[in-house]
Amino acid sequence: MLLRKKKGIVGLDIGSSAVKLVELKGGKGGSYSLLHAAHAPLSPEAIVEGTVMDSSLVVEVAQRLIQEQSIKNPSFGISLSGLSVAIRKIQVPAMSDAELSESIHWEAEQYLPFDVNEVNLDYVVLSSDADTMDVLLVAAKKDRIADYTGIITQLGKVPSLVDVDVFALQNAYELNYGSASSKVVALVNIGAHIMNVNIVAYGQSV
C-alpha cells in the first residue's frame, strides 16, 4: 500500500530497536526514485513487544531523522505486526459486495481472537464461485493503531496509511519483481524481536 498511493507518503518503521524512514518519488512507468532514507537506534525501553511504552523517546528519534533529512511531506504511513494483528483466510457463502460489507463483522467474530468491537477491520475477496467466497480478513487492535498514529500526530504529521508488515513487504516485492503468479515465494521480514513470514503462492498470500 505504501508504494501504490498516488500521492507520496513517508514510510515510518517504528521497531523495537530502531526507527527507520523512507520517502520515494513516483516516476514514469511505475518506477520510483529514493528521495530520503534514514535510521537511528531506539532505546529498548521505548517499545516492548510491540507496545509503545515511552512515546516521547520514539518522537525524539523520529523528529531528529525528519530534521536531518529535511522532510517536508506531511503524509506519513506506518505498518503493524505482532500479537495486535490477526490475519485469517475464511470461507463464506457467495454474496454481493454490499452483503459482504454488511456481514463481515459478524463473520469476523467467529475467527478473530479479539473482540470485533476493539479492532479495525479490513478484507479482500481472494476468489469466488457460485457457492462460496474465499476472503482474506485482517484486523488490528484500535488501541495499538492509536499508539502508533499518535506518534505521527506528535511529530506534526498526518497519519495517512496504516498497513500490515507482511503485506507492505509483499507490495514492495511485487513492485520490484512483479506478481508471483507462476511460483511460490516466501517473504521473510526479520526484526530485532519479531519475524514475519508471508508465503505468496501464485499471486495470493496463503
Side-chain angles (χ1 to χ4, degrees), residues 102-169:
E102 290 181 2
S103 65
I104 194 65
H105 276 76
W106 181 83
E107 297 287 352
E109 286 181 335
Q110 305 176 67
Y111 298 97
L112 295 177
F114 314 129
D115 183 336
V116 73
N117 296 311
E118 297 178 353
V119 301
N120 281 1
L121 197 62
D122 201 359
Y123 65 93
V124 61
V125 177
L126 298 175
S127 63
S128 62
D129 56 32
D131 299 316
T132 61
M133 305 169 66
D134 288 333
V135 178
L136 188 66
L137 189 66
V138 181
K141 298 191 75 171
K142 291 179 179 178
D143 57 354
R144 184 62 54 86
I145 293 174
D147 286 344
Y148 280 77
T149 56
I151 290 171
I152 296 177
T153 303
Q154 290 179 66
L155 290 168
K157 304 297 183 179
V158 179
S160 301
L161 175 69
V162 178
D163 206 345
V164 177
D165 283 0
V166 290
F167 296 132
L169 182 61

Side-chain angles (χ1 to χ4, degrees), residues 37-52:
H39 68 90
L42 186 63
S43 299
E45 64 268 22
I47 306 287
V48 178
E49 296 183 357
T51 300
V52 179

